[in-house]
Amino acid sequence: MQIGVNVPNFGPGTDPGVLRAWAQTVEGLGFDLLMVSDHVAITPDVAEQYPAPFYEPFTTLSWLAGITSRVRLGTTVLLMPYRHPLLLARMAANLNQLSGERLVLGVGVGWAKQEFEALGVRFDRRGRLTDEYLHALKAAWADEKDYRAGRIPIWIGGNSDAALRRTVRLGDAWHPLSFTPGWFRAAVDRLRAIAEQEQRPMPALAPRIKLWLTATPVTGTDRLAGEGTLDQVLDDIAQLRALGSGSVVLDPFHGDPEQTRRPETWWQMLAAVAAHRETDRKEIP
C-alpha cells in the first residue's frame, strides 16, 4: 500500500518556505504521495474554511516537483468544472512530463456556490460538466503526439452514489474523503455492485482519511477513520488495505486554519506513522 499526505496549501501559516518544508518532510519521512487541494476564487464560503493565501495546485505542484525527486504529486481534489478541459489536459500532461511522470490527478465536482458564481460556472450543472470534461480530458490525452500525457491516473473524489458511478465509468480509482470505517465498508460493497451493473472492472480504492493522534482511544460509531491513538490509526490503515485499498492519503487538517501556523504538530504525527511503517518494512522477510 502507498501512503500519501494531503498538504495544506492554504491558510495564514502557509507560505513558500512552509510549503518547501512540507515537501521535504513528506519525502524525507518516506511517504509515497504529496497532494494539495484546489480553489480558484476565495469567495466568502471558501474563505470560511480555507482562507487565503491559497496556492493554486498546478503552480504549487510544478514548483514542488523541482524540490522533490521521488514522491508522487497529486490533487485532492481538483475541481473539474473550473477549468476548460483542454487547458487542464495540457497543464496536467506538462506537469506529469516535467516531474518524471509522478502526477496523480484527483478530481471532484466542487461545493462552493459563491465560487462557481464568481467563475461564471453553473453550480446546478457541476456534475454534468465534470462528466463532460472528463470525457474531453481523456480524449485529448489519447492524442499522444500532441499531449504526451503518459499514464496519469484519475482518482474520482466524492462520497455520493453519483461519485461512485462516475468512478466506475471514468476513473481509475475511487477517492472518498473523510468517513467512518463502517461507512467505507458498506460503500465499497455499493461500488462493487455498480461496477457489476455497468459491466466494468472494479476501480481501485484510494481513500483520504483524517490524521489526528490522541493519547487515549476515541470511541463511538461517529469516529472518523484516522482519528484516535496510533494503534487505532494503524489499524484503520490495515483495515483499508484488507478491503483492497492500494493507496491511502492522510489528511492532518481538522478545520482550524490557525493550525497552519504550527505544522510541526502535524509533522510529529506523520513521523509516528512513518516510524511504525519503517519498522514493518524491516520485519518483512
Side-chain angles (χ1 to χ4, degrees):
M1 171 188 271
Q2 293 204 327
I3 300 182
V5 179
N6 180 28
V7 170
N9 54 322
F10 55 85
T14 301
D15 60 28
V18 170
L19 288 169
R20 178 191 293 272
W22 264 109
Q24 293 170 337
T25 299
V26 170
E27 187 165 69
L29 289 172
F31 287 102
D32 305 293
L33 181 62
L34 182 161
M35 305 192 87
V36 296
S37 301
D38 180 34
H39 281 288
V40 175
I42 311 305
T43 47
D45 50 355
V46 175
E48 185 176 354
Q49 298 186 47
Y50 311 108
F54 202 113
Y55 288 81
E56 195 278 329
F58 278 106
T59 309
T60 303
L61 292 175
S62 295
W63 180 59
L64 294 179
I67 294 172
T68 58
S69 60
R70 178 195 57 79
V71 70
R72 299 173 76 195
L73 307 164
T75 53
T76 177
V77 291
L78 193 82
L79 302 176
M80 198 72 188
Y82 288 176
R83 297 168 181 83
H84 192 285
L86 296 184
L87 173 63
L88 174 56
R90 177 73 63 193
M91 291 192 298
N94 288 168
L95 174 53
N96 191 52
Q97 201 173 10
L98 291 168
S99 67
E101 297 192 350
R102 287 189 280 154
L103 181 64
V104 174
L105 190 66
V107 303
V109 301
W111 56 269
K113 190 171 184 179
Q114 293 172 352
E115 187 176 22
F116 274 85
E117 293 171 353
L119 294 170
V121 181
R122 284 182 55 178
F123 183 78
D124 62 341
R125 293 195 71 243
R126 64 194 187 282
R128 185 175 301 176
L129 284 171
T130 295
D131 291 345
E132 291 174 3
Y133 286 8
L134 280 169
H135 280 292
L137 175 74
K138 292 162 78 77
W141 283 347
D143 186 357
E144 285 295 327
K145 283 190 195 174
D146 191 25
Y147 285 88
R148 288 182 225 163
R151 185 67 183 92
I152 303 173
I154 298 176
W155 293 5
I156 306 293
N159 296 14
S160 66
D161 284 351
L164 298 180
R165 288 191 294 272
R166 184 172 295 114
T167 302
V168 168
R169 294 170 181 170
L170 296 167
D172 297 297
W174 181 41
H175 185 51
L177 317 177
S178 188
F179 48 79
T180 65
W183 179 89
F184 184 72
R185 286 190 292 271
V188 170
D189 289 339
R190 291 205 310 276
L191 180 65
R192 186 174 291 106
I194 291 171
E196 291 175 356
Q197 291 168 6
E198 296 281 335
Q199 297 185 329
R200 294 174 183 263
M202 174 72 173
L205 303 176
R208 189 180 95 191
I209 65 174
K210 292 294 183 183
L211 176 62
W212 191 254
L213 298 183
T214 60
T216 57
V218 177
T219 59
T221 57
D222 59 346
R223 181 186 75 87
L224 296 176
E227 292 182 331
T229 64
L230 179 59
D231 284 343
Q232 283 183 296
V233 173
L234 294 173
D235 183 64
D236 287 337
I237 294 172
Q239 291 298 323
L240 293 172
R241 182 170 56 241
L243 286 167
S245 299
S247 303
V248 61
V249 178
L250 306 177
D251 182 5
F253 182 66
H254 270 239
D256 180 6
E258 287 299 312
Q259 291 176 318
T260 60
R261 300 185 190 273
R262 303 179 298 277
E264 297 83 2
T265 301
W266 291 329
W267 297 342
Q268 290 167 4
M269 290 189 290
L270 290 168
V273 174
H276 191 279
R277 188 182 185 205
E278 187 61 27
T279 299
D280 285 348
R281 283 173 172 165
K282 290 178 179 178
E283 290 177 352
I284 294 174

